[in-house]
Amino acid sequence: MPNPNMANREVCDLIFVDYATKKPFLNLDFANVSTTELTGESVFAYGGKGHPKRVQFSGERGGTITIETQIQTVKLWQLITGGEISKSAKFVTRVEAAVDEAGTEITLAEAPVIGSVVVYTADDDCGTELECTVADKVIMLNTALSGGEKVIVYYMKEVTDNVQRINIKSTSFPKNFIVYGDTIMKTEDDEVLPYRLVAAKCAPQSNMSLSFSNTGDPGSITITCDLLADADDNILDLILIEE
C-alpha cells in the first residue's frame, strides 16, 4: 500500500525501558493522551539590500513526549522523580479516644513510635497538652479527667507491611529511558494499521503536580519527557506496519 492517507484517534501505550540496563521499567498502558513533539532551530545567513535570508542552517534537534493520565502508580511517581521505593513509612496520625472510668488511662489500637504521643482534651484540640507517660499501647495521664471523657491523641505511626514509600531527595534525578509506543492509524480505505514509535533516549522532567479534590473530574498528572540523541545520533523512529 503506497503512502496511505490516514488519521489517528487513539492513545499510545508506552513501554519504558531503562536506558542503562535495557530492562523494562514500566508498562504505561493507562494514559489518556500521549503527544510527541519534534523541535529544531533554524538560523540564517543574511546578505544584500533589504537584509534578506540567503542560507538556512538547521540544528538543535530534539523534542518531547508528553503523557496525560488520570491513572497513577507508585512506579510512575518513581519514573518522574527518580526517588527510591521503600517498604516502610512513618507519619503522624490522629485518633479520637476516651479515657477509662478512672479518667487516667487511654488504650490505643497500636503502639506509637516512642516519644511521639501528644494528648489534648476533645474540646481543646491542639491547645494545652496533657502530660502523660506511654507504655506500649497504653497512655497514662498525669492528671485524671472525668471517666469516659473524650480526648484527641496525635502520634507517629510506623508501617512496615503492605506499604510503598517514594523517598525523594534533593539529589534524586530521573533515569533515562528508551520508550516504545504502540497505537493504530486508520486509513481512508477503512484499514486499521499498527503504528509504533521508538524514542531512542528519553529523559523525564522532574516536574510533578499531584492534585486532590472532592469535586470535578478525577485528578490527572502530566509527564513530560525530553527527547535526546543516543550514541548513534538516533532521536525518534516512526513506524507504520502495512498489513
Side-chain angles (χ1 to χ4, degrees), residues 10 30 51 67 76 141 170 188 190 220 241:
E10 186 58 276
F30 45 79
H51 196 57
I67 303 128
L76 180 64
L141 299 179
S170 61
E188 288 185 335
D190 209 30
S220 64
I241 303 173

Side-chain angles (χ1 to χ4, degrees), residues 8-53:
N8 169 268
R9 197 173 184 272
E10 186 58 276
V11 71
C12 268
D13 291 338
L14 301 169
I15 300 172
F16 284 77
V17 174
D18 190 303
Y19 184 80
T21 66
K22 303 301 185 286
K23 301 292 186 182
F25 181 86
L26 173 67
N27 178 37
L28 203 163
D29 60 356
F30 45 79
N32 299 111
V33 181
S34 54
T35 305
T36 305
E37 179 181 6
L38 288 173
T39 59
E41 184 168 319
S42 296
V43 294
F44 302 91
Y46 299 81
K49 292 180 178 178
H51 196 57
K53 297 175 180 177

Side-chain angles (χ1 to χ4, degrees), residues 35-180:
T35 305
T36 305
E37 179 181 6
L38 288 173
T39 59
E41 184 168 319
S42 296
V43 294
F44 302 91
Y46 299 81
K49 292 180 178 178
H51 196 57
K53 297 175 180 177
R54 296 287 188 178
V55 183
Q56 184 255 3
F57 300 90
S58 296
E60 298 189 27
R61 298 303 302 269
T64 57
I65 292 178
T66 303
I67 303 128
E68 298 176 25
T69 175
Q70 292 174 311
I71 307 300
Q72 303 174 37
T73 69
V74 174
K75 197 77 170 179
L76 180 64
W77 298 341
Q78 186 183 26
L79 181 142
I80 301 169
T81 64
E84 294 296 326
I85 294 181
S86 173
K87 297 298 184 180
S88 65
K90 290 182 181 181
F91 49 88
V92 170
T93 190
R94 175 186 184 274
V95 297
E96 297 184 20
V99 296
D100 64 357
E101 290 304 314
T104 57
E105 185 176 308
I106 306 158
T107 302
L108 301 176
E110 59 200 353
V113 173
I114 295 173
S116 67
V117 172
V118 181
V119 183
Y120 304 100
T121 58
D123 59 0
D124 190 29
D125 192 1
C126 296
T128 301
E129 180 180 349
L130 302 179
E131 295 184 1
C132 64
T133 57
V134 182
D136 194 33
K137 300 178 183 180
V138 178
I139 302 170
M140 295 296 297
L141 299 179
N142 293 2
T143 301
L145 302 176
S146 300
E149 185 173 345
K150 298 291 185 180
V151 294
I152 305 296
V153 182
Y154 292 90
Y155 63 92
M156 185 73 70
K157 179 176 181 177
E158 183 171 13
V159 182
T160 56
D161 294 323
N162 301 317
V163 61
Q164 295 185 75
R165 174 173 61 92
I166 291 285
N167 179 228
I168 305 165
K169 299 181 178 180
S170 61
T171 54
S172 299
F173 297 100
K175 298 180 178 181
N176 289 334
F177 298 93
I178 305 169
V179 178
Y180 297 88

Side-chain angles (χ1 to χ4, degrees), residues 185-217:
M185 304 293 285
K186 189 173 183 181
T187 72
E188 288 185 335
D189 296 328
D190 209 30
E191 289 186 278
V192 176
L193 302 180
Y195 173 86
R196 302 293 180 101
L197 66 83
V198 181
K201 190 176 184 181
C202 191
Q205 296 180 6
S206 296
N207 306 313
M208 181 172 69
S209 177
L210 297 175
S211 61
F212 304 92
S213 174
N214 61 2
T215 60
D217 292 333

